[in-house]
Amino acid sequence: MRRWFTASLVLGILSALLASGALKRQESHAMAQSSEQAPKVAHMVFFTLKDDSPAARQKMTDACQKYLSDHPGTAYFSAGTRAEQFDRPVNDKEFHIALHVVFNTQADHDRYQTAEKHLKFIEENRDNWEEVRVFDSHVK
């Protein structure tokens, strides 16, 4: 009887320890999945230029590359001119330059908004902006 009690006690303790470790692993895995599944922030900006000459468009895309790429927390960056060959009724043709930046987190996006390079970009280029449209969205 004593052996049976001791064996049951040891098995109970082992089961509790194993369950505790498994629970911690599940919690850790769930936390990792949660951060992996958090949506990224897509920051899409469409610029209509006052001077839309080829030189002005090139200057603007060069400025995007110089000041807006390589910010901390950037998952994706691109900038370029509107693809004029796409001429369907659904195509928006009211812009010249498109900027696409995807940030890993909203905090990364928020830091970008006040970053020195971003502010310098605005300061140096805003005089040629007729209109700026910003589309921020969550993406996976």
Side-chain angles (χ1 to χ4, degrees), residues 34-46:
S34 173
S35 66
E36 288 172 9
Q37 292 176 357
K40 293 181 180 345
V41 176
H43 179 66
M44 307 299 152
V45 185
F46 298 89

Side-chain angles (χ1 to χ4, degrees), residues 63-129:
C64 288
Q65 189 67 44
K66 177 180 179 180
Y67 292 111
L68 305 179
S69 64
D70 299 323
H71 279 266
T74 299
Y76 175 81
F77 169 88
S78 66
T81 58
R82 181 172 64 82
E84 295 179 21
Q85 72 271 26
F86 295 102
D87 194 22
R88 299 179 304 141
V90 295
N91 288 111
D92 185 330
K93 299 172 190 130
E94 301 301 316
F95 70 97
H96 301 108
I97 305 298
L99 170 69
H100 307 281
V101 187
V102 178
F103 295 98
N104 291 316
T105 66
Q106 183 172 341
D108 293 326
H109 167 272
D110 295 348
R111 277 190 295 278
Y112 164 86
Q113 292 301 322
T114 58
E116 187 176 328
K117 284 174 45 177
H118 181 248
L119 298 176
K120 185 76 169 165
F121 167 79
I122 294 169
E123 178 186 327
E124 287 188 10
N125 294 281
R126 71 174 158 217
D127 288 343
N128 193 32
W129 297 342

Side-chain angles (χ1 to χ4, degrees), residues 45-50 94-95 128-133:
V45 185
F46 298 89
F47 299 92
T48 305
L49 305 178
K50 293 175 185 174
E94 301 301 316
F95 70 97
N128 193 32
W129 297 342
E130 174 93 16
E131 182 179 24
V132 178
R133 293 182 294 153

